[in-house]
Amino acid sequence: MLAQALSTLDSITLMYPFFYRPMFEVIEDGWHSFLPEQEFELYSSATSEWRLSYVNKEFAVCPSYPPIVIVPKSIDDEALRKVATFRHGGRFPVLSYYHKKNGMVIMRSGQPLTGTNGRRCKEDEKLINATLRAGKRGYIIDTRSLTVAQQARAKGGGFEQEAHYPQWRRIHKSIERYHILQESLIKLVEACNDQTHNMDRWLSKLEASNWLTHIKEILTTACLAAQCIDREGASILIHGTEGTDSTLQVTSLAQIILEPRSRTIRGFEALIEREWLQAGHPFQQRCAQSAYCNSKQKWESPVFLLFLDCVWQILRQFPCSFEFNENFLIMLFEHAYASQFGTFLGNNESERCKLKLQQKTMSLWSWVNRPSELRKFTSPLFEANNLVIWPSVAPQSLHLWEGIFLRWNRSSKYLDEAYEEMVNIIEYNKELQAKVNILRRQLAELETEDGMQESP
Amino acid sequence: MEHIRTTKVEQVKLLDRFSTSNKALTGTLYLTATHLLFIDSHQKETWILHHHIASVEKLALTTSGCPLVIQCKNFRIVHFIVPRERDCHDIYNSLLQLSKQAKYEDLYAFSYNPKQNDSERLRGWQLIDLAEEYKRMGVPNSNWQLSDANREYKICETYPRELYVPRIASKPIIVGSSKFRSKGRFPVLSYYHREKEAAVCRCSQPLSGFSARCLEDEHLLQAISKANPVNRYMYVMDTRPKHRMQSWWATQKDIGRIIVRISSKIWNDEKIRESHEQKRLNAMANRAAGKGYENEDNYSNIRFQFVGIENIHVMRSSLQKLLEVNGTKGLSVNDFYSGLESSGWLRHIKAVMDAAIFLTKAIMIENASVLVHCSDGWDRTSQVCSLGSLLLDSFYRTIRGFMVLIEKDWISFGHKFSERCGHLDSDPKEVSPVFTQFLECVWHLTEQFPQAFEFNEAFLLQIHEHIYSCQFGNFLGNCQKEREELKLKEKTYSLWPFLLDDQKKYLNPLYSPKSQAVAVLEPNTVSFNFKFWRNMYHQFDRTLHPRQSVFNIIMNMNEQNKQLENDIKDLESKIKQHKNKQTDGVLTKELLHSVRPESPTLKTSLCFKEQTLLPVNDALRTIEGSNPADNRYSEYAEEFSKSEPAVVSLEYGVARMTC
């Protein structure tokens, strides 16, 4: 009972991160590692069409947004305030990603509050159109099926009507949410934990969990988004209902596919900071109990785990294109659910501010980004690859993430040893290359010396 | 060749197997005596060996031409569209003829000429020597000897000439036992465990009715158990599933049980209770399994074990189902897994693996000898004996050892390769992927023990390729006697030397013979360890594969490391030479130039050719097939387009707005 009470503490301020005192020397304070201003500089060198807006400084316009967001330069803060009233949770469209190759962008937002009477908002239309170049069209990717989107109108939500957004084409994809994902996780974990299942039962349970179906849906949508940007040369706006779950899965995965930087350790951390923490994914609500939640938690949902799983699937297909290895993803999964660090506490920046996490807790990044830790998470195979990486989404190409789901159910001794051996071979290769270089240099020196001796 | 009417057809389209849109490559199709060749506009060649063709199908004429679908035994499926129906018909007819030969002599192996002379060929055939192999195991010895009973194939036509049997088993016993066993396949040694002094033996089922008994057979079994000095108990593993045994018993056509003394005992018991049919069957099966017979002194040294591996027909249709599911366009995750489940394929693989593990444990833990059989003792028995040996003995996990294992338990003991692989136009009901299953079990082991095998996946795939290719003589025919009659050693070549020449391609870079050399493999067979073998069943569907292969990189790096080690030796010796030269000339040098600071020429020489090492990984790291169009994300968008007026159809990376 006590253990259960302790694992389900109601008050955040009683949680471990508030009492944790690091035993390591902080080299770089992770709370300041990925400041929005710095991130914006990466884009501002390539484009002047966007600006930083401080309209949400007091979290008044949108409680789940950070104080600083990137918006089209031509739209002023006043217009943003108006758009916020038209979008779910005040989540007006903001820049998520700028594709330097062709200047196309990914934006994300909450659903438009059109309601049953088809409300419209001129400022919203203007904002979205401001991102399009002359004569260009864009795509709106709605992460809900058309029926679900239509039903949302009854509750005041809705989707962009063609008539009001003539330059935009809408694509509906169906990514599941909330309890459906949670049930899927529970079923999967249950299937994995029962070692007595015969083959038929195992396969049917794996199938019934639908976990890999969700993976496929999310990956497919992300690939479609990336395809719009890179192949169609079209900008996109992505949203579902709130724009805090499936929307973020898609925007962040699209960036993994499109942008080499997000496949580095630092870039991936920045991506999580930007697209998950700052973007207001409610970690506190989603990652409270994981698969073993005995009372039905309404908000519990493995949205972030699904994202990590999707990254793992891409990593498996492109093992040389990522600077980090599987352990890095597993570590992030663990810390999202239970951590001595404050990074994943709270549901958005506003809550984190109120909790004074920066002052009272340690950032996960302060710990991870120390060389001794980084070593464990670095893939020896990494070779920077500037290409867009298109994963296969066929069922035959998707796998159960054994490192997470079978981790405690089977020994990975032989696999770990093999991994070590692989690292050894690569290390040895580097060593030999260095040695050959030194020897060549030496020989060259000797040869020139000889040459000089012979012809002085 | 008389079957070829058209040798070249232009403007043929090759369709992408999984695309719902008609994405295609255009090229020219050539028909040769041995291969069908397609060269596309990028000059990429697709070679299809006629013997690999499992089926050719001509589909209904379409506007773009006549579709021709070819399914291959190595799981390649190609879909051509031939512009003119006439050409299509000609090719179709030719392929039908060419892919199904009536005579062995028409198979590729008899015309294949790799430009070797006769002595090279002979040496190739002598590469694997089974007598050597038995010597390596430690037989003959005081308990086991070479029997000359089958020297002229008089006792058993499907066994090899040289057989090892217990020393105390006399020839009359052997002859008697062989008459009692299906196809004369009496119990013989398959593997001898030197340390445990325990044996793996194999045979076929007993033939006679319930009431019969065969004293010679009983003697032979006793002799086997006596040949084990440590444990007199021995296991008899019937690799067939119990429920099938019951139905056999019910029909009384074929007695599945093996020890007749037990059989007759049950038969008598059974007569008393004829009325309770179902109960009776269960009871019999239980008794047959060895339960409840401990009181019988006579049989106390034999324990029975059923391991449920299904027969060749079940396996054939299981694989068919699996391939059907995986060939579906736009396959959903759920359909994939429910198809995987309903095909039963992985269940069968697990059954074979479990049987091999049982055998291994009997030997390692109980120190008991094991006799394995199924019906004829050439399918399931070969699977279990060979896989068991592989778990027990690290030699079989080397490249050469694996060849020996296949020669021993499969080729020499008469696995009917020609019938199972459909080499000739014969009974399709005899075709079954029994050997493929064995290779898949080995692959599963390589997945669980990445460092235990000297060879890699490519080796397994290559062997699989050649059991169907009929390019080499090894797998032709159904038994040794037949192979001798075909004079394969004179007329064809052996595959093994060619694989050994190419060894580099098949080496596992992570292989660590030291750590696991003596170890017996103990695989985990909880269901979740068994995965769909994509690289086998989709080996030609490149879009489904990982885009970068860690394995290839490590393999090349290993190669490169060897090269670098040589380079270093080379450089070091050169430097040494120079230094020697310099010390010789050091006096003059010091006289001529007193210690000189680094001269500019020296500095420039420093940077020359610093990074000109082998560009080993570049090619491997480039991303194959990495194109959104290959991955068909857009098809999922099309589904939406049906319900929504604003149609977005994303194809080949080109959006078509069709409002």
Side-chain angles (χ1 to χ4, degrees), chain B residues 148-157 171 175 178 184 481:
Chain B
D148 59 1
N150 202 40
R151 183 140 296 165
E152 305 301 326
Y153 297 118
K154 275 191 183 140
I155 297 184
C156 175
E157 292 200 329
K171 197 167 174 183
V175 173
S178 77
K481 183 167 180 258

Side-chain angles (χ1 to χ4, degrees), chain A residues 137 139 146 162 169-173 191-192 194-204 206-208 210 212-213 216 219-220 223-224 227-228 231-232 316-321 380-383 385 387-400 402 406 409-411 414-415 417-419 421-422 425-426 428-430 432-433 435-437 439-450 452-454 456, chain B residues 18 326 331-334 336-338 340-341 344 346-347 350 447-451 509-510 516 524 526-532 534 538 543-550 553-554 557-558 560-561 564-565 567-568 571-572 574-575 578-579 581-582 585 589 592-593 596 599 601-602 605-606 608-613 617-618 621 623 626-629 631 633-634 636-637 640 643-644 646-648 650 653-655 657 659:
Chain A
R137 281 164 184 263
Y139 292 94
L146 181 63
E162 290 77 30
R169 288 286 163 267
R170 225 173 50 244
I171 305 174
H172 286 270
K173 302 290 292 181
C192 290
D194 192 339
Q195 311 230 354
T196 62
H197 286 329
N198 66 28
M199 188 61 74
D200 291 359
R201 201 160 160 71
W202 157 247
L203 289 173
S204 80
L206 183 60
E207 182 211 333
N210 276 328
L212 287 166
T213 303
K216 187 178 152 102
L219 269 178
T220 306
C223 289
L224 189 74
Q227 201 179 351
C228 289
R231 296 295 159 120
E232 315 294 315
R316 250 190 86 103
Q317 296 188 26
F318 297 91
C320 307
S321 300
L381 292 163
F382 178 59
E383 207 161 80
N385 166 9
L387 299 168
V388 176
I389 52 175
W390 301 107
S392 161
V393 295
Q396 294 98 322
S397 307
L398 302 177
H399 297 266
L400 176 70
E402 299 179 10
L406 300 180
N409 300 330
R410 48 123 221 224
S411 153
Y414 298 114
L415 303 181
E417 283 172 7
Y419 183 82
E421 176 63 21
M422 184 189 84
I425 290 173
I426 296 170
Y428 185 50
N429 183 265
K430 282 183 193 152
L432 289 175
Q433 297 226 12
K435 198 164 174 191
V436 166
N437 279 337
L439 289 174
R440 280 196 181 154
R441 204 176 305 172
Q442 257 181 32
L443 186 67
E445 273 175 45
L446 290 169
E447 275 169 355
T448 31
E449 260 173 55
D450 280 6
M452 290 186 134
Q453 269 174 26
E454 279 154 26
Chain B
F18 290 104
N326 288 317
L331 183 65
S332 76
V333 172
N334 283 356
F336 173 64
Y337 281 102
S338 65
L340 201 55
E341 182 200 337
L346 289 178
R347 190 179 70 225
K350 178 170 152 56
E447 286 283 289
Q448 280 196 37
F449 304 96
Q451 295 190 270
L510 302 177
Q516 281 153 342
N524 180 339
V526 176
S527 300
F528 55 57
N529 289 291
F530 293 88
K531 281 163 275 184
F532 172 67
R534 182 194 52 218
H538 286 298
T543 54
L544 300 182
H545 292 229
R547 306 305 205 257
Q548 296 162 333
S549 157
V550 174
I553 289 167
I554 299 300
M557 214 171 252
N558 232 358
Q560 197 196 39
N561 285 355
L564 286 169
E565 279 169 354
D567 286 359
I568 287 173
L571 286 165
E572 275 171 347
K574 275 186 192 161
I575 287 171
H578 271 281
K579 282 197 172 145
K581 225 162 78 186
Q582 282 189 341
K589 190 178 97 182
L592 287 168
H593 331 266
R596 183 179 33 186
S599 65
T601 35
L602 218 159
S605 72
L606 277 181
F608 92 81
K609 283 186 185 170
E610 179 112 352
Q611 279 301 327
T612 48
L613 292 165
N617 304 318
D618 296 357
R621 286 186 209 240
I623 297 162
S626 185
N627 184 313
N631 293 307
Y633 317 124
S634 40
Y636 305 95
F640 149 77
S643 56
E644 178 66 35
V647 176
V648 176
L650 296 170
V654 183
M657 311 287 181
C659 311

Side-chain angles (χ1 to χ4, degrees), chain B residues 180-181 205-208 210 236-238 240 245 248-249 254-260 262-263 266 284-285 287-289 304-306 373:
Chain B
F180 177 68
R181 296 274 169 184
Q205 66 181 347
L207 262 190
S208 49
F210 275 98
V236 172
M237 278 177 79
D238 191 324
R240 297 170 290 187
M245 296 310 307
W248 266 342
W249 285 53
D254 197 352
I255 296 156
R257 266 320 325 128
I258 125 133
I259 298 301
V260 152
I262 290 177
S263 301
I266 295 165
M284 282 195 317
R287 291 221 182 103
F304 295 99
Q305 178 70 30
F306 281 94
H373 79 81

Side-chain angles (χ1 to χ4, degrees), chain B residues 346-365:
Chain B
L346 289 178
R347 190 179 70 225
H348 301 317
I349 297 291
K350 178 170 152 56
V352 175
M353 195 79 102
D354 280 330
I357 290 169
F358 180 87
L359 182 152
T360 313
K361 282 190 176 154
I363 291 198
M364 291 314 291
I365 297 170

